[in-house]
Amino acid sequence: MRSWQYSRTAGGLEKNLTLNPSAPLPTPKPDQHLVQVIAAALNPVDYKPAEVPGLIRFAISKPATPGIDFAGTIVRPANDSPLKAGQLVFGASGATPVAGGALRDFSVSGLKSTAAIPEGVDPIDAATVGVAGLTAYQSIVPHVKHGDKIFINGGSGGTGVFGIQIAKAVGCHVTTTCSTRNVDFCKEMGADEVVDYKKEKVLDVLLLKARERRYDHVVDNVGSDEELALRCHEFMRSDGAMVIVGGEPSLKAVTQMMKRKLLPGFLGGPKGNVVGFWPEQKPEDLQQIAEWMKEGKVKAVVDTKFRFEEAPKAIEKLKTGRARGKIVVDVASETYKRDS
């Protein structure tokens, strides 16, 4: 099978990817499906951890294949799975969160990280959900109720686009941030209010809006403005939570995380409830997002679709941080359509 692989990341992951035309098929564990990949969608986690100095040497088996988000068909289902061979599925590929293996013809996916694609949902769209959609769902839905006021920092990226739509699907009033060129786009996604961070200081706007009503819940998909976390108690309700989703894998980010976690407010830590986040694989959450997609309440936004042979270019595009929605690599949609 074809597989994009790397053994080093010096100079950037995209510069080290090579296409192996005769890689061996992966061997699934009893609780994993063997799947044929139709499409893969990219996320920052596909390259950021791999490019941390030292991590590639010690934490990732080589050669490694990136890619977590996928849509495909079941070749051989996991033991005791209700899914059947030939069934269209989507979710998270692989056994590790760093090198998922979706950028190849065949991969593996776990029982808890795979769900059926409902009839009427395009596999290309379903492929975008695995990381960004699940992150948006779990960082919002368990924390809110109908009528809540939510602030999403970073509304035009992969997670933000899903976040706006999911928050509206459960009945929230949504305020989000983006650059000037994406203001109308975020409104089209359903945002009630949009803050243009190119023209206004986000914290100042939040403090002003808090005079009328504080936010019930906050999600930070950017993670670069520590002042938002330290002063969240000034614009968020005391029983609310600020979920930090975005951030760089750096010493500075780790220091800030430890400061938020360990320092009390009077010593410089946040006075509000600030929590970190890592998605939990729940097929029922994936299935709910897919049902909303079928109903038209949530839609995938694909910024660019690349051919399988262009996977390094797709990662280059991802690293610009300028994608509006998701970047998708078409692995075998035409082949799949001919064979189905």
Side-chain angles (χ1 to χ4, degrees):
M1 69 169 186
R2 301 171 304 163
S3 176
W4 282 102
Q5 298 176 331
Y6 65 94
S7 295
R8 61 196 298 271
T9 58
L13 174 61
E14 70 280 10
K15 293 181 174 62
N16 291 277
L17 281 176
T18 58
L19 183 56
N20 183 349
S22 56
L25 282 175
T27 302
K29 298 177 182 178
D31 63 346
Q32 291 179 326
H33 311 284
L34 177 64
V35 296
Q36 179 187 4
V37 180
I38 294 173
L42 300 181
N43 300 279
V45 72
D46 291 323
Y47 74 87
K48 287 185 177 181
E51 293 183 353
V52 173
L55 184 61
I56 178 64
R57 184 181 304 171
F58 302 110
I60 303 175
S61 298
K62 302 180 289 292
T65 296
I68 297 174
D69 289 357
F70 87 98
T73 59
I74 296 282
V75 176
R76 187 166 68 248
N79 292 351
D80 302 319
S81 171
L83 300 173
K84 306 298 182 183
Q87 191 166 3
L88 283 168
V89 293
F90 74 107
S93 167
T96 72
V98 178
L103 287 178
R104 54 186 175 178
D105 287 320
F106 295 88
S107 191
V108 297
S109 61
L111 276 169
K112 293 184 177 180
S113 58
T114 310
I117 299 178
E119 185 176 353
V121 175
D122 191 321
I124 295 290
D125 292 339
T128 67
V129 175
V131 171
L134 193 66
T135 295
Y137 184 97
Q138 293 180 354
S139 65
I140 294 172
V141 175
H143 303 277
V144 301
K145 62 183 183 300
H146 189 278
D148 277 356
K149 184 178 179 182
I150 180 175
F151 168 62
I152 300 173
N153 191 32
S156 61
T159 304
V161 165
F162 278 115
I164 292 171
Q165 297 179 86
I166 288 171
K168 294 304 296 181
V170 295
C172 292
H173 178 282
V174 178
T175 300
T176 193
T177 63
C178 64
S179 63
T180 306
R181 75 184 187 96
N182 288 321
V183 169
D184 289 341
F185 168 70
C186 285
K187 290 180 179 178
E188 290 172 6
M189 292 296 99
D192 299 284
E193 299 179 76
V194 180
V195 180
D196 181 350
Y197 67 78
K198 293 283 190 179
K199 296 181 178 180
E200 301 177 281
K201 185 177 179 181
V202 174
L203 180 59
D204 290 345
V205 175
L206 297 179
L207 294 176
L208 182 62
K209 292 181 180 296
R211 294 178 183 177
E212 298 179 6
R213 178 183 170 184
R214 297 191 178 207
Y215 293 96
D216 299 284
H217 185 60
V218 175
V219 177
D220 188 356
N221 294 320
V222 182
S224 61
D225 188 350
E226 184 65 7
E227 192 175 16
L228 285 179
L230 295 177
R231 298 184 64 181
C232 67
H233 63 286
E234 297 181 45
F235 56 83
M236 182 178 71
R237 287 170 53 95
S238 60
D239 58 350
M242 180 176 185
V243 180
I244 306 292
V245 172
E248 296 290 330
S250 64
L251 179 60
K252 179 181 178 182
V254 172
T255 301
Q256 290 177 340
M257 179 183 68
M258 295 305 294
K259 180 179 179 181
R260 292 193 297 263
K261 187 175 182 66
L262 300 176
L263 281 184
F266 68 90
L267 289 180
K271 296 180 181 178
N273 181 23
V274 179
V275 296
F277 178 82
W278 188 260
E280 180 182 355
Q281 296 303 328
K282 290 186 175 182
E284 62 268 28
D285 292 352
L286 290 171
Q287 206 67 63
Q288 177 61 77
I289 298 169
E291 289 301 322
W292 280 333
M293 294 176 79
K294 180 180 179 180
E295 296 167 3
K297 294 179 180 179
V298 172
K299 66 178 181 178
V301 176
V302 177
D303 179 278
T304 314
K305 184 172 71 171
F306 290 86
R307 293 182 296 109
F308 182 70
E309 294 77 12
E310 299 175 315
K313 292 183 179 180
I315 292 176
E316 285 182 9
K317 172 71 174 181
L318 175 70
K319 293 174 79 170
T320 68
R322 293 300 194 185
R324 179 186 287 181
K326 297 290 294 181
I327 294 170
V328 173
V329 176
D330 186 337
V331 179
S333 68
E334 293 302 318
T335 304
Y336 162 75
K337 287 176 183 176
R338 287 198 299 269
D339 292 346
S340 60

